[in-house]
């Protein structure tokens, strides 16, 4: 029986990063993964392939819509979807190979198969070829999440699809209906719209991106409509059927619609099946997540859980931070993740990024705040880029001026937010950001100007 100080089940961003940190701290580590390649949903079928597709489809859209104004005339633009998907697959392979390399470099033993915790300190790895028993002082569950559908909708992997298939459609659908105006719906809806599909997004709430700052969500809706995406808000999908050629989507109180393909993007659920939790007596919460204490320890001593299987946003970077903190807590007793400062990014064009509290949350909590807003339109670099849609909004405490939330819609929002996350991590005031020198001409100046604008001192407007 192989023995390790630590066995991690799941080699996604939470699990593999925890494994690396544990190896750095001197643990003997084993990691169990049921898929052929390492990296989890994010690397194999999530963040990485979708970003590759977003990049290719953005270039395709740009060459048709934006080159002309630069004086670049292109006579014929053809889409070679096979090459585009092939490039995406290469990007994924480089990343999964990269994770495998990191495991090797850090002398982490990789076990391929389904990990089951048979008792505290014991993991059995079930694979087609063999059953391997592992002994471990500590076990971390990092099994991530998978697509959650809704009542009346059963994805068949053919015409009724999830993000797993929507990163690999072999032809551009004529009409793609996306159920859910959340992150996946908007990112993958954008990809297929740019590649030529008619895309209709059906969203249950009266807003897309529910939970995001509502001013930014409204701006986003306007921009996406301008790009040709179609929306039905307040549309609760109650059923989807397929006759093998097309799909019919039933919407509560509205006319049914037809589509060539459906993408179900209504959220994800924690992966806890097959882990042996029931036999261990490890109870889940109402939403199927594993409850943990502030040290990531479950109700069973020496079994820990991190990432999408525990409460908190289902985001790769949150899972990574969980993983590092969990391992450091095991080793040193010290480790921390600030869940108020987990940035969230939607990789549409333009990007949408946020950190901290929204205006709605501040109002609900009765916290008085000042608001500074600066539009991309007033920034020289944005004009030179031809990317003038969007704004940066900074919310700061009225009494202390401490930054409480930052919300950005605009090109490179995902990169611009990083500065403000760092500032907020250090407890910065809006004046701290406003008095920091930002190079000219950069988009980062929009952040500075928004901070200046918190006290009415913006310069370029
Ligand atoms: P989501 O929760 O972001 O959005 C789901 C949407 O579906 C919601 O707006 C919801 O109101 C809507 N919905 C639910 N039931 C419906 C119904 N019956 N009819 C119509 N609409 C309905 O979920 P997602 O987009 O599937 O993403 C899943 C998870 O993956 C999220 O936690 C997300 O944060 C994460 N993710 C993150 C990124 C990123 O960080 N860029 C990218 C992809 C996924």
């Amino acid at each position: 029986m192989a023995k390790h100080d630590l066995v991690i089940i799941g080699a996604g961003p939470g699990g593999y990063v925890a494994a690396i940190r544990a190896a750095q701290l001197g643990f003997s580590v084993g990691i169990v993964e049921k898929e052929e390649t390492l990296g989890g949903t994010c690397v194999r079928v999530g963040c990485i392939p979708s970003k590759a597709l977003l990049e290719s489809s953005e270039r395709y859209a740009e060459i048709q819509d934006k080159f002309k104004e630069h004086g670049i005339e292109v006579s014929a633009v053809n889409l070679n979807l096979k090459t585009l998907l092939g490039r995406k697959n290469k990007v994924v392979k480089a990343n999964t190979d990269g994770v495998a390399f990191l495991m090797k470099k850090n002398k982490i033993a990789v076990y391929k198969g389904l990990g089951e915790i048979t008792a505290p300190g014991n993991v059995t790895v079930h694979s087609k070829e063999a059953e391997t028993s592992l002994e471990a002082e500590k076990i971390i569950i990092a099994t991530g999440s998978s697509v959650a559908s809704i009542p009346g909708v059963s994805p068949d992997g053919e015409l009724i699809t999830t993000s797993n298939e929507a990163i690999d459609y072999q032809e551009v659908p004529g009409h793609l209906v996306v159920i859910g105006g959340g992150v996946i719906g908007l990112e993958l809806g954008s990809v297929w719209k740019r590649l030529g599909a008619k895309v209709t997004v059906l969203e249950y709430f009266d807003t897309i991106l529910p939970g995001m700052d509502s001013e930014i969500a409204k701006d986003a809706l306007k921009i996406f409509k301008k790009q040709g995406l179609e929306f039905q808000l307040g549309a609760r999908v109650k059923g989807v059927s397929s006759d093998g050629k097309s799909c019919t989507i039933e919407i509560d109180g509205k006319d049914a619609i037809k589509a060539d393909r459906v993408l179900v993007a209504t959220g994800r659920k924690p992966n806890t099946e097959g882990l042996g939790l029931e036999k261990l007596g490890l109870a889940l919460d109402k939403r199927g997540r594993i409850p943990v204490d502030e040290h990531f320890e479950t109700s069973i001593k020496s079994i820990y859980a991190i990432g999408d299987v525990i409460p908190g946003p289902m985001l790769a970077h949150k899972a990574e931070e969980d993983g590092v903190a969990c391992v450091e807590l095991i080793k040193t007793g010290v480790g921390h993740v600030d869940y108020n400062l987990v940035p969230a990014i939607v990789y549409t064009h333009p990007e949408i990024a946020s950190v901290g509290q929204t205006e709605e949350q501040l109002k609900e909590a009765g916290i008085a705040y000042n608001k500074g807003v600066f539009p991309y339109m007033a920034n020289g670099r944005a004009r030179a880029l031809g990317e003038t849609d969007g704004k940066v909004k900074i919310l700061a405490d009225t009494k202390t001026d401490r930054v409480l939330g930052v919300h950005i819609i605009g090109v490179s929002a995902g990169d611009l937010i990083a500065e403000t996350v760092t500032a907020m991590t250090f407890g910065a005031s809006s004046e701290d950001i406003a008095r920091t020198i930002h190079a000219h001409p950069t988009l980062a100046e929009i952040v500075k100007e928004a901070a200046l604008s918190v006290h009415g001192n913006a310069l370029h407007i």
Side-chain angles (χ1 to χ4, degrees), residues 52 110 154 210 287 301 351 363 372 438:
V110 176
S154 309
R287 292 170 66 181
K301 218 176 145 13
E351 291 177 350
K363 279 179 194 151
H438 288 67

Side-chain angles (χ1 to χ4, degrees), residues 46-47 50-51 145 148 150-151 179-187 202-205 207-210 235-238 264-268 308 313-317 344-347:
C47 329
S50 63
K51 260 78 270 170
S145 61
I150 46 174
I179 310 177
V183 192
I184 294 181
L186 294 173
E187 287 185 0
L202 306 176
E203 167 55 47
Y204 171 76
F205 285 103
T207 168
I208 56 167
L209 298 169
R236 189 181 70 82
V237 172
K238 53 177 192 175
V264 184
T266 48
R268 298 179 63 83
D308 285 8
M314 288 181 165
L315 296 170
H317 45 277
I345 299 161
V346 190
Y347 296 88

Side-chain angles (χ1 to χ4, degrees), residues 28-292:
S28 139
V29 188
I31 192 163
V32 183
E33 173 55 56
K34 68 176 168 46
E35 300 291 340
E36 273 307 302
T37 52
L38 306 179
T41 297
C42 173
V43 178
R44 293 181 311 104
V45 289
C47 329
I48 298 300
S50 63
K51 260 78 270 170
L53 295 178
L54 281 156
E55 186 60 31
S56 298
S57 61
E58 178 53 27
R59 289 183 189 211
Y60 182 59
E62 212 173 11
I63 203 165
Q64 297 172 86
D65 306 337
K66 295 193 181 152
F67 273 37
K68 216 169 175 184
E69 70 186 63
H70 290 270
I72 303 166
E73 289 170 12
V74 185
S75 50
V77 184
N78 298 311
L79 175 67
N80 185 331
L81 186 59
K82 208 171 159 201
T83 306
L84 188 153
L85 295 175
R87 174 186 177 274
K88 177 260 302 175
N89 292 339
K90 272 190 212 149
V91 172
V92 170
K93 186 167 183 324
N95 281 274
T96 53
D97 286 354
V99 177
F101 163 79
L102 290 172
M103 296 300 99
K104 214 169 173 180
K105 183 183 165 223
N106 287 284
K107 301 188 173 55
I108 294 159
V110 176
Y111 300 93
K112 292 277 172 76
L114 195 72
E116 181 193 356
I117 306 172
T118 44
N122 289 297
V123 173
T124 301
V125 184
H126 305 274
S127 74
K128 267 187 215 145
E129 295 80 31
E131 296 226 323
T132 313
S133 297
L134 307 177
E135 219 176 88
E137 250 173 63
K138 312 271 183 194
I139 297 167
I140 298 179
I141 301 169
T143 43
S145 61
S146 49
V147 175
S149 194
I150 46 174
V153 182
S154 309
D156 59 12
E158 299 288 333
L159 298 190
I160 308 173
T161 63
T162 68
S163 53
N164 293 338
E165 294 82 32
I167 55 163
D168 210 35
Y169 293 154
Q170 297 300 306
E171 56 189 55
V172 179
H175 184 197
L176 173 68
V177 161
V178 177
I179 310 177
V183 192
I184 294 181
L186 294 173
E187 287 185 0
L188 290 176
S190 294
V191 165
W192 292 104
K193 169 72 192 76
R194 292 172 195 160
L195 296 180
K198 169 185 157 82
V199 175
T200 308
V201 179
L202 306 176
E203 167 55 47
Y204 171 76
F205 285 103
D206 288 331
T207 168
I208 56 167
L209 298 169
M212 273 235 170
D213 188 273
S214 75
E215 179 185 350
I216 299 290
K218 276 189 199 128
D219 289 354
L221 182 64
K222 266 191 220 145
I223 293 172
F224 296 145
K225 278 185 176 168
K226 234 174 29 186
Q227 292 173 358
L229 283 160
E230 293 176 19
F231 292 88
Q232 282 197 30
L233 302 180
R236 189 181 70 82
V237 172
K238 53 177 192 175
V240 177
S241 57
S242 153
D243 63 7
K245 290 197 188 94
S246 67
C247 308
T248 306
I249 302 102
E250 309 279 345
I251 307 167
D252 202 17
K254 299 189 188 218
D255 290 342
I257 49 177
K258 291 249 177 217
D260 297 296
R261 277 197 128 130
V262 172
L263 163 59
V264 184
T266 48
R268 298 179 63 83
K269 57 174 193 292
N271 289 332
T272 52
E273 262 174 45
L275 281 169
L277 303 187
E278 221 172 281
K279 270 193 230 155
L280 286 169
L282 203 165
L284 304 176
D285 72 11
K286 273 189 207 137
R287 292 170 66 181
R289 305 171 299 192
I290 301 175
V292 289

